Amino acid sequence: MTSAPTPSPAHETQAAPASLTAVRPSVPPERLLADLVPPRHFAEARFSTYRANPAYPSQAATLARLEEVAREIAAPPRRGLFSRKRPTASAVYMDGGFGVGKTHLLTSLAHAVGVQDSAFGTFVEYTNLVGALGFMPTVEALAAKKLVCIDEFELDDAGDTTLMSRLLRELTDRGVALAATSNTLPEALGEGRFAAEDFLREIQALAARFEVLRVDGEDYRHRAVVTESRPLPAETVRAVAASRTDATLDDFDALLEHLGSVHPSRYGALLDGVGLVALTDVHPVRRQEVALRLVVLVDRLYDRDVPVLLSGSGEASLFTEEMLRGGYRKKYYRALSRLGALAEEGRTVAQAAA
């Protein structure tokens, strides 16, 4: 597989590819490990910058507890001279809806412990790492950290969930602290710890080690579950993309086809050097495997704060009603919330260029 040059800090002025479909990134396993750091979108996230909504006391309570956890990890209890028992590592799980600040809090925890002593990634990124390095090399690499953060823990693939449960068990046995997040569906927010019960059931042997922290609230992005924002005219999308050296411009169908030829673990590298993504003829996605690839791309775009310009039907009806009721619905709702926020940023870019 051929690869495009990966822009480095010394070459940031190099023009980004004109099209994402022209890029076939080659990502060595070492980069997958090196990329396990807080995403750019949350580079400035700290406990001090989290604004707990007083209407939802659980937000402030979770913030306070995580500050305690950070102190526990940074300065673990000292073992007595005659103690044979290994100190129990902290393990916390944040459960709540979309956009309530869970990733901000998780990233703040990583920063408080120290980025050099933490690994931060999504569930998918850790499963990709195991696939690239092998199970025990992944354990050895992560066991060197004090804290492993898993954002968006997923329960929709039994094999991956079992793999992750085994990985986390190996890490906790070695004294590594854990912190994870997941999402409760909007319609399940009134059902108590709906997602938390699923999580604890699936991780089985680890369940007793995890402390569940509920984070209530509304989506801070202030978007409906399915956005109703207007797409941009195709000519506007093309003109704005042509005016920037860091922009890419792709036909939506061509991009979807290209994503099928690139492993999802490389989607982050696909965006190296890209500051704006423009897509024309956006329309509803009918095939599940294609939609799931698009979800991963949206997550990588959001991590990197890359605005998007969309023409066609836009993001409003991107996924079918059947998908939004199916087993992967959490992923789709998250993608809609995030893509809507990035599209709003894209509209701001377009207005400034007008």
Side-chain angles (χ1 to χ4, degrees), residues 8-349:
S8 65
H11 297 85
E12 289 182 347
T13 58
Q14 179 181 348
S19 169
L20 292 177
T21 60
V23 183
R24 292 187 176 274
S26 177
V27 181
E30 294 76 16
R31 173 168 174 175
L32 294 177
L33 185 61
D35 281 349
L36 292 178
V37 295
R40 182 193 310 167
H41 184 81
F42 295 96
E44 303 303 320
R46 300 292 187 277
F47 289 136
S48 61
T49 62
Y50 181 76
R51 298 291 177 257
N53 188 335
Y56 300 96
S58 63
Q59 293 187 10
T62 298
L63 171 63
R65 176 58 187 134
L66 289 179
E67 289 176 321
E68 292 178 355
V69 169
R71 290 191 290 270
E72 293 168 3
I73 296 171
R78 300 178 63 180
R79 297 174 62 182
L81 182 62
F82 301 103
S83 174
R84 296 181 180 180
K85 187 175 180 181
R86 184 193 303 267
T88 302
S90 300
V92 295
Y93 168 82
M94 282 180 277
D95 177 37
F98 303 97
V100 296
K102 300 186 305 299
T103 301
H104 184 130
L105 289 167
L106 187 66
T107 313
S108 298
L109 178 61
H111 282 298
V113 171
V115 173
Q116 70 281 0
D117 291 323
S118 305
F120 187 104
T122 63
F123 182 95
V124 171
E125 287 175 307
Y126 286 110
T127 57
N128 286 339
L129 184 65
V130 173
L133 298 183
F135 184 79
M136 288 311 300
T138 299
V139 171
E140 295 297 334
L142 296 178
K145 304 292 185 179
K146 292 182 179 180
L147 170 69
V148 168
C149 299
I150 310 101
D151 201 20
E152 306 295 351
F153 200 101
E154 299 178 2
L155 302 172
D156 41 41
D157 185 294
D160 283 347
T161 302
T162 300
L163 172 68
M164 185 61 73
S165 181
R166 180 185 168 204
L167 176 64
L168 299 187
R169 185 169 63 250
E170 290 278 355
L171 293 174
T172 56
D173 286 346
R174 296 172 185 234
V176 179
L178 305 174
T181 73
S182 188
N183 288 318
T184 299
L185 286 169
E187 65 267 25
L189 286 175
E191 300 177 13
R193 293 180 175 178
F194 177 83
E197 291 171 1
D198 291 344
F199 171 78
L200 295 176
R201 180 180 65 250
E202 293 298 332
I203 63 172
Q204 300 174 17
L206 281 172
R209 306 190 192 189
F210 271 87
E211 174 185 0
V212 175
L213 304 174
R214 178 73 187 183
V215 188
D216 298 296
E218 300 175 353
D219 191 333
Y220 75 92
R221 290 178 283 264
H222 301 294
R223 309 192 60 82
V225 169
V226 178
T227 92
E228 297 181 353
S229 51
R230 296 184 303 277
L232 295 167
E235 57 270 22
T236 299
V237 170
R238 293 190 182 96
V240 175
S243 71
R244 293 178 51 140
T245 60
D246 63 345
T248 61
L249 175 64
D250 290 276
D251 171 77
F252 188 57
D253 279 330
L255 177 61
L256 294 181
E257 182 178 357
H258 183 61
L259 292 180
S261 68
V262 178
H263 193 277
S265 66
R266 300 178 178 181
Y267 287 4
L270 190 68
L271 299 171
D272 282 345
V274 176
L276 178 72
V277 165
L279 299 175
T280 58
D281 298 321
V282 175
H283 59 79
V285 179
R286 305 291 180 185
R287 292 165 51 193
Q288 186 108 265
E289 74 277 13
V290 176
L292 291 174
R293 293 185 200 117
L294 183 58
V295 166
V296 177
L297 180 65
V298 170
D299 284 341
R300 299 293 80 79
L301 287 165
Y302 188 78
D303 288 346
R304 289 158 175 75
D305 273 334
V306 178
V308 299
L309 303 175
L310 306 176
S311 76
S313 63
E315 75 272 17
S317 57
L318 196 57
F319 305 118
T320 67
E321 288 299 320
E322 182 180 3
M323 290 177 182
L324 295 177
R325 292 193 301 268
Y328 297 109
R329 59 198 185 277
K330 288 186 181 182
K331 293 183 179 182
Y332 297 138
Y333 282 129
R334 181 183 77 233
L336 287 172
S337 179
R338 289 182 167 185
L339 186 58
L342 296 176
E344 285 299 321
E345 293 179 20
R347 286 183 190 87
T348 301
V349 171

